[in-house]
Amino acid sequence: MDLAANLGAVRRVVVVAVLVAVAAAGGAALLAQVVLLREILASSQGNELVLGLVLALWLLLTGLASAVGGMGPLATQAAARRLGILLIMAPLVLLGSLWLTTWAGPDALGRVPGFSRFAAITILALAPACFVGGLAFAWSLTTLPGQGRAAQLYGSETLGAATAGLLFHVVLADRLSSAWIMFVAGAVCTLAGLCLVFQRRWFAPAVALAVLGVSAAVCPRVSAALASARFPGQQVLALEPSRYGLLAVVARGDQRAFFHDGTLQFTSEDAWVAEEHVHLPLLLHPNPRRILLVGGGLGGGLVEALKHKPERLDYADMDPGILPLARRFADGKTRSALEDPRVRAVAKDARLVMRDSPGRYDLILLDLPIPHNALLAHLLSVECFREARRALAPGGLIALVTPGSETQLDAGSRQRHGSLMASLRAVFPAIGMSPGSPTIFWAGEANVDARPGVLGARLEERDLHLVQVGRTWLLDRLLPFHVESFHRSLDSSLPVENHDLRPVVYLVGLVENLQRVSPILARTALIVLRSRWSPWCVAAAVFILAALVALVRRGRPSPSLAAACAGGTGMALQLVVLLAFQALRGHLYHALGGLLAANLAGMAAGAFAAGRYLEQPRVLFRACAGAAAAAALVPLAIVCARAWPSTGTTSILVVTVLVGASTGAVFPVAVRASGRDGVAARLYGWDLAGAAFSAAGVTLLGIPLLGLVPVAALAAVLCVAASLANLRST
Amino acid sequence: MVSRRDFFLTCGGAGCALAAGVSAGTILVPAKRAFAASSPRAYPARFWKKLPNKRIECGLCPKHCKVEDRERGFCGVRENRDGEYMTLVWGQPCAVHLDPIEKKPLFHFLPGSRAFSIATAGCNLECKCCQNWDISQSKPEDVDFHFMSPEDVVAGAKEYDACVTFTYSEPIVFLEYAIDTAKAARKAGVRATMVTGGSGEAEPMREALKYLDAVKVDLKGFTEDYYQRMCKGKLDPVLKTLEVILASGVWLELVHLCIPGQNDSEAEILAMCRWVKAHLGADVPVHFTRFHPEYQMKNVPPTPNATLVRCREIGLSEGLQFVYTGNVPGLAGENTSCSKCGKVVVVRRGFELLDMKIKGGRCGFCGNAIPGVWT
């Protein structure tokens, strides 16, 4: 009796130790995922579509590791030992993964690697961390066999991941560097692993201590390697993660260059460049007293705008990290301009500034790079221009200053510029432009007099003695034949409007890639997708097809199809939510951990709740239908987030949890519905495969072609198909 | 449970349906390239020779491309059609603009005048920092172009009282068009200038120089490694071109675009200045211009002003008389000073001429001859 009780107690201790170990592994995997995602995002100049590719690779590699870990016969004690050793070594493995991301940094000329090299490096960098997570789960399943244990382990893993994600968002993101976060994640794993092996291996604590010591010593070197990889051969004065990405200040001699996610923003010696950006728009308005400047101010734009003696100059830069850096490193004139009493510099989304200022501004000047991600695209969308129109005073103007070309734009740039023009046209009745480098668009309620003579006269009235901008410069910028030729070239590019939830930057990238493969296909994509209704037609067509397939199969229950659809839907919706958050809020870089944690918490809750309803009739059909219903809520939440910014973040978080819960519930139900033992791993594989393919498909095709909301609708369609296919399930 | 067979059958069926739909769409949509304007016309090229089996060897530039039938040379604008080499850009400029002459930059050639600037697609180099890559790294069918005969170009220049300038991309690759246009300009009393990377063979260059009034050459670096690594070209042919231009008597100015960390070392600048003085003379103006992030170098910070100032100091200390800084209006080094009395004889701000004290090609203060084309 005592022996049995003792054995039972030991067994319970082992179970708890394994559950804790797998929770630690799950937490470490989540932290590693978030850290690596952020590093890779910063290496790819903030292009959010890499999220989908990284998540797809993460799932595939984790699934592969899980499959490798489950291969061959393995005794439970051996599995426990392996699990313990793996977790003890975790800090070194995670730091190794982080170090490998340095290979994805730019070369000496600031060029990011091409797609295939980037993908290969991403796989190499993710593989070690993925193998920790995948092998840990597989060996824990072997250590604690049984159908009920699988659900427990899954729940424990997701709970660990959700906790880690929350911890990252609330505490770690603002306080620790990437290397130290990896160390913390690995250290927790080491302690958990030690609990599994120290009773059998007397030297295990010494090994664990040694691993922790070496990892702690290596952390600063990894941080230094990350910094120097981003800016090879340059002197980095500051490297700071902000809510919106990675900010850096680099020195060469007396010049200070400011970077965001590896993209050059401005330098301290750009004064005359700022002249070309700011004065033409300001001269277009007869008397600009209240000006809103968005972007470009810290590179000399503020100084130049003040020469027109406005009453008030508001400068909005979304990133709260940039103004303190500018006060430290920008040139003296810009620092003085920031202290000018007429200048109000705010670290705030310009759209919120415009929303709070109806009828205030004579001129709104957007001096931004051509958008290459959703973060920038949301400042150049139709919705943004509508808000700008409301913020303009009577007779007010909006001006966009973007990089251009002295000669002729290449195809992709023409498409992007055409998109800007089309988006302005959708809101303003009168539009003008000045092609060149930079290209300047302006728009308002009525045409403005943009004759060089008129603008030259205003130059003199305002007593402006400028270095570069003068009457000759104005003449050259506004040559009629040049403007007409530019206008024609933009019209011929089949421009597509840029909307918040359908960032044209993704479509242009896809069309550019298609152009290399088949120009006919590229043109077809543009012709079809110019219409606002075309994504919905595609969604409807897919729905009809899926419903037909499902109805044909309705007599044969399909847990594997349900698992694959749940995985695919969950991933698609997760990506939609992440990108919608970026498009509407902009600080995905900071909120990534929290959003992933919300999804995982939902999955854990869903898996737990589903366990209580496994005996219900047609439970698989109900689970899939629930997932479809949750998917249908996503577009609603996104629309609410756009319409009511104050409650938007909450609605996105709530729907993220609901989606996680509904898709997380499908897996245990599918295991139960299969009615066979030993299928959990196979169904997990289907789940992962569905998620991985969904991530790749949504990233490469779905979101660029259709936009965010139609993709969410398609995800709901898939779940409806899966539920119909399981209509007759028991 | 779905069997593997069912799974693959379903995927295969879906894939076939998608492919069929796309194919139908592509057949129904007019077969036009997505962004192309129209097909370029072909005209007989010069400066090439036939090889066996319908192959040709181009003689326009040091690359000496050996081109198979239906293939193009490195520049992408000259094509072998049935053993005959054709240029696809004659009379088809894709960039037409009016610039101040100082923008080329040509500081000792008709200051304050305008340059009616034209360019076609294509280039025989591939510079990673190219400021006009949109057209230089494009094929003719990938850009919007106009049909402009040499007479049209000259008429345009006359309308704006400007000289004709072949610039932006690389005039060597459209040399036939440039020569014909320069001839027409000479006939009409209009000046013609060229802005080139200088990577051309002597014979074609001499032909063009007969009708040109000024040439500005980009001396991109002063090591073979730089030219190979950054431009896919060679230094030596450029140096030979400079000597050919000097020998022809056509006005010559040089530009060196200083790229941080790549070609701005003091040793390289020193070597360049010494070569210029020894082989071209102290009177050839040299411009050290600021690099602006572009093309494949969009995230390299621009040249610090201190670097440009230092380069100018090196040039002046090596005895070059006219050394300028460029692309930074207001920086010291924009004005022209007399080499004898040291007084400023031409005042500029950016591309704008503010004052000129040169009369009959001589300093308005001491009468010293100032090299250049002033009227």
Side-chain angles (χ1 to χ4, degrees):
Chain A
M1 188 73 166
D2 285 342
L3 183 64
N6 285 342
L7 279 173
V10 167
R11 181 82 184 141
R12 277 195 295 278
V13 166
V14 168
V15 167
V16 168
V18 172
L19 287 173
V20 166
V22 89
L30 191 282
L31 284 179
Q33 189 180 81
V34 172
V35 166
L36 292 172
L37 266 172
R38 280 160 51 114
E39 292 299 323
I40 292 169
L41 196 60
S43 296
S44 58
Q45 297 174 349
N47 187 337
E48 298 93 356
L49 289 182
V50 302
L51 292 176
L53 288 174
V54 170
L55 288 173
L57 286 170
W58 185 279
L59 292 168
L60 283 173
L61 289 168
T62 305
L64 179 66
S66 191
V68 165
M71 276 164 54
L74 187 66
T76 55
Q77 285 184 359
R81 193 166 51 245
R82 285 187 186 186
L83 178 61
I85 293 169
L86 176 73
L87 292 179
I88 287 173
M89 303 304 288
L92 289 173
V93 174
L94 295 181
L95 283 169
S97 262
L98 183 61
W99 179 82
L100 283 168
T101 62
T102 60
W103 292 0
D107 62 9
L109 302 183
R111 297 174 300 179
V112 294
F115 178 77
S116 47
R117 184 161 175 242
F118 191 82
I121 293 168
T122 304
I123 291 171
L124 268 175
L126 295 178
C130 291
F131 268 69
V132 167
L135 287 173
F137 188 73
W139 287 337
S140 63
L141 275 175
T142 309
T143 308
L144 299 179
Q147 206 173 52
R149 293 289 186 210
Q152 265 189 319
L153 288 166
Y154 184 69
S156 181
E157 188 196 35
T158 48
L159 199 61
T163 308
L166 202 59
L167 199 65
F168 177 88
H169 182 72
V170 173
V171 177
L172 299 176
D174 293 330
R175 286 175 176 75
L176 294 182
S177 68
S178 299
W180 284 109
I181 292 173
M182 290 296 224
F183 173 79
V184 165
V188 170
C189 286
T190 300
L191 292 173
L194 198 56
C195 296
L196 279 174
V197 301
F198 86 96
Q199 283 182 334
R200 295 190 177 274
R201 296 282 183 268
W202 59 267
F203 53 81
V207 170
L209 266 174
V211 166
L212 287 174
V214 168
S215 303
V218 156
C219 268
R221 288 173 193 262
V222 172
S223 294
L226 284 172
S228 66
R230 292 199 193 294
F231 304 99
Q234 300 187 64
Q235 184 191 359
V236 179
L237 298 179
L239 187 68
E240 292 170 17
S242 75
R243 289 167 67 85
Y244 296 91
L246 196 62
L247 296 173
V249 180
V250 166
R252 187 179 283 275
D254 290 334
Q255 183 185 84
R256 304 287 179 258
F258 290 69
F259 289 83
H260 177 269
D261 281 348
T263 306
L264 180 66
Q265 302 297 301
F266 60 91
T267 76
S268 57
E269 292 180 351
D270 280 345
W272 73 271
V273 173
E275 267 196 27
E276 293 191 318
H277 285 225
V278 165
H279 289 289
L280 175 55
L282 281 163
L283 289 171
L284 287 167
H285 193 284
N287 186 17
R289 290 176 300 134
R290 290 174 300 266
I291 303 168
L292 172 63
L293 184 59
V294 182
L298 302 176
L302 278 176
V303 174
E304 298 305 317
L306 283 173
K307 290 179 182 174
H308 291 256
K309 300 185 182 64
E311 287 172 7
R312 177 167 163 159
L313 175 56
D314 290 346
Y315 176 64
D317 198 308
M318 189 187 298
D319 197 326
I322 195 69
L323 285 172
L325 281 178
R327 289 193 168 95
R328 282 168 65 193
F329 296 110
D331 64 292
K333 286 185 181 172
T334 297
R335 292 202 304 269
S336 302
L338 284 169
E339 306 308 321
D340 190 301
R342 294 168 292 174
V343 172
R344 188 180 71 120
V346 290
K348 198 173 175 184
D349 189 343
R351 288 184 55 174
L352 294 178
V353 174
M354 289 190 250
R355 217 171 277 170
D356 296 338
S357 314
R360 173 176 291 173
Y361 297 109
D362 298 309
L363 181 78
I364 296 174
L365 176 54
L366 300 167
D367 186 358
L368 299 166
I370 280 282
H372 53 269
N373 56 30
L375 178 62
L376 281 170
H378 99 287
L379 288 172
L380 294 167
S381 65
V382 170
E383 292 81 6
C384 177
F385 296 151
R386 285 197 188 114
E387 285 163 4
R389 189 178 184 184
R390 283 190 284 271
L392 287 173
L397 282 180
I398 180 172
L400 313 183
V401 181
T402 64
S405 171
E406 296 275 350
T407 53
Q408 188 176 130
L409 295 170
D410 69 301
S413 298
R414 213 176 315 168
Q415 185 64 29
R416 291 182 184 93
H417 280 76
S419 161
L420 286 180
M421 191 176 71
S423 305
L424 279 172
R425 254 196 207 138
V427 178
F428 293 98
I431 296 174
M433 63 191 73
S434 167
S437 183
T439 297
I440 302 173
F441 295 92
W442 58 88
E445 299 298 332
N447 285 322
V448 296
D449 191 343
R451 286 175 294 166
V454 170
L455 304 188
R458 284 182 188 154
L459 258 181
E460 285 159 18
E461 279 161 24
R462 296 179 196 178
D463 201 27
L464 293 169
H465 300 286
L466 305 172
V467 172
Q468 177 73 355
V469 172
R471 282 183 179 269
T472 312
W473 184 89
L474 288 168
L475 267 169
D476 290 340
R477 286 290 314 202
L478 297 165
L479 283 168
F481 74 84
H482 212 214
V483 173
E484 282 155 23
S485 163
F486 183 67
H487 207 140
R488 272 198 310 273
S489 76
L490 292 192
D491 278 336
S492 73
S493 67
L494 301 179
V496 179
E497 290 174 9
N498 180 38
H499 290 271
D500 285 345
L501 297 176
R502 196 181 173 203
V504 79
V505 57
Y506 298 147
L507 176 63
V508 171
L510 176 64
V511 169
E512 278 183 316
N513 289 326
L514 278 178
Q515 173 77 3
R516 290 187 196 112
V517 172
S518 166
I520 294 171
L521 206 57
R523 189 168 180 86
T524 307
L526 275 178
I527 290 171
V528 167
L529 294 164
R530 284 187 81 199
S531 161
R532 199 172 300 181
W533 297 108
S534 55
W536 296 104
C537 293
V538 170
V542 171
F543 172 73
I544 291 167
L545 190 65
L548 281 173
V549 168
L551 285 171
V552 162
R553 289 193 51 81
R554 72 185 184 281
R556 291 176 280 169
S558 178
S560 53
L561 180 66
C565 280
T569 301
M571 177 54 68
L573 292 175
Q574 187 176 59
L575 284 170
V576 165
V577 164
L578 290 176
L579 291 178
F581 187 91
Q582 177 75 325
L584 299 176
R585 291 290 170 273
H587 56 92
L588 179 65
Y589 189 79
H590 184 262
L592 192 58
L595 287 170
L596 290 176
N599 185 258
L600 286 165
M603 285 174 74
F608 177 73
R612 303 180 64 181
Y613 298 98
L614 291 178
E615 303 306 322
Q616 295 275 334
R618 295 196 295 172
V619 63
L620 191 53
F621 161 73
R622 290 178 186 207
C624 293
L633 285 177
V634 169
L636 193 62
I638 292 172
V639 168
C640 287
R642 190 170 68 184
W644 297 289
S646 53
T647 53
T649 306
T650 310
S651 63
I652 288 179
L653 270 173
V654 165
V655 83
T656 303
V657 172
L658 282 176
V659 164
S662 60
T663 52
V666 174
F667 176 73
V669 168
V671 171
R672 174 71 178 84
S674 70
R676 297 192 296 176
D677 287 335
V679 298
R682 195 182 299 181
L683 285 175
Y684 188 57
W686 278 108
D687 187 311
L688 284 180
F693 283 112
S694 171
V698 159
T699 302
L700 294 174
L701 287 176
I703 290 177
L705 287 176
L706 305 177
L708 295 172
V709 173
V711 166
L714 272 176
V717 159
L718 279 178
C719 281
V720 168
S723 60
L724 288 176
N726 289 286
L727 193 58
R728 297 269 176 101
S729 66
T730 56
Chain B
M1 217 37 136
V2 172
S3 69
R4 281 197 196 92
R5 186 168 173 274
D6 281 347
F7 176 76
F8 285 120
L9 277 175
T10 308
C11 285
C16 289
L18 184 65
V22 167
S23 304
T26 56
I27 288 166
L28 291 173
V29 167
K32 246 186 171 182
R33 290 185 70 91
F35 300 119
S38 54
S39 302
R41 294 178 196 163
Y43 292 85
R46 295 169 58 190
F47 311 111
W48 58 277
K49 66 182 183 193
K50 287 194 189 217
L51 294 177
N53 300 323
K54 289 190 183 177
R55 292 170 80 229
I56 63 99
E57 180 177 333
C58 181
L60 201 56
C61 82
K63 284 191 163 36
H64 282 274
C65 297
K66 292 180 176 56
V67 186
E68 303 280 347
D69 189 24
R70 298 291 151 185
E71 297 283 326
R72 297 189 191 181
F74 180 92
C75 59
V77 301
R78 299 161 77 79
E79 189 173 284
N80 180 352
R81 292 192 181 178
D82 223 20
E84 295 293 322
Y85 211 29
M86 310 295 276
T87 167
L88 302 176
V89 290
W90 193 98
Q92 291 152 110
C94 61
V96 180
H97 200 36
L98 197 60
D99 291 326
I101 199 73
E102 283 79 9
K103 196 172 178 183
K104 298 294 111 185
L106 281 167
F107 275 18
H108 288 233
F109 183 84
L110 306 177
S113 67
R114 316 290 291 283
F116 189 76
S117 305
I118 63 168
T120 71
C123 185
N124 61 348
L125 295 175
E126 196 183 310
C127 302
K128 293 179 170 55
C129 57
C130 185
Q131 310 282 298
N132 296 304
W133 64 274
D134 321 67
I135 59 172
S136 72
Q137 304 304 313
S138 293
K139 295 198 173 70
E141 57 270 29
D142 294 332
V143 298
D144 285 336
F145 53 83
H146 318 269
F147 289 103
M148 285 183 87
S149 67
E151 290 73 24
D152 292 335
V153 175
V154 173
K158 278 188 122 168
E159 184 186 338
Y160 292 100
D161 194 25
C163 64
V164 173
T165 301
F166 311 107
T167 178
Y168 299 137
S169 53
E170 175 48 73
I172 286 176
V173 306
F174 61 91
L175 203 66
E176 292 87 353
Y177 181 40
I179 289 172
D180 291 345
T181 306
K183 266 190 210 169
R186 179 68 58 89
K187 214 170 162 183
V190 173
R191 310 272 183 124
T193 68
M194 181 182 283
V195 173
T196 173
S199 187
E201 283 292 354
E203 185 206 331
M205 286 304 302
R206 285 194 189 99
E207 179 67 24
L209 286 165
K210 290 178 192 169
Y211 309 102
L212 293 173
D213 299 284
V215 177
K216 186 225 80 180
V217 175
D218 279 312
L219 188 51
K220 298 176 191 292
F222 209 69
T223 60
E224 286 292 350
D225 171 68
Y226 178 87
Y227 263 87
Q228 180 58 37
R229 183 168 48 85
M230 295 288 285
C231 307
K232 292 191 182 172
K234 290 182 180 172
L235 169 64
D236 201 52
V238 177
L239 299 180
K240 289 197 169 80
T241 297
L242 289 174
E243 288 172 330
V244 165
I245 297 171
L246 189 77
S248 71
V250 173
W251 179 251
L252 170 65
E253 296 192 30
L254 295 182
V255 159
H256 178 71
L257 185 71
C258 300
I259 302 177
Q262 302 300 323
N263 64 353
D264 63 342
S265 70
E266 289 204 7
E268 192 169 338
I269 301 298
L270 200 60
M272 181 194 307
C273 293
R274 284 178 179 164
W275 186 92
V276 170
K277 174 129 186 256
H279 290 80
L280 304 179
D283 287 341
V284 170
V286 176
H287 304 255
F288 290 104
T289 57
R290 186 194 203 218
F291 156 77
H292 176 76
E294 195 56 78
Y295 192 31
Q296 297 182 25
M297 297 176 66
K298 282 192 169 124
N299 292 312
V300 176
T303 318
N305 294 344
T307 302
L308 299 175
V309 170
R310 181 72 191 123
C311 289
R312 181 168 179 257
E313 283 170 358
I314 292 172
L316 290 170
S317 69
E318 288 302 311
L320 297 176
Q321 297 293 332
F322 305 105
V323 187
Y324 302 101
T325 57
N327 284 351
V328 189
L331 190 64
E334 285 189 297
N335 301 328
T336 301
S337 302
C338 174
S339 52
K340 192 175 174 191
C341 66
K343 293 218 167 87
V344 174
V345 290
V346 183
V347 181
R348 299 179 188 88
R349 187 182 59 206
F351 303 137
E352 207 163 344
L353 176 71
L354 298 180
D355 193 19
M356 191 160 93
K357 296 271 192 287
I358 295 180
K359 290 186 179 109
R362 292 186 172 275
C363 171
F365 299 100
C366 69
N368 181 45
I370 311 285
V373 179
W374 305 107
T375 54

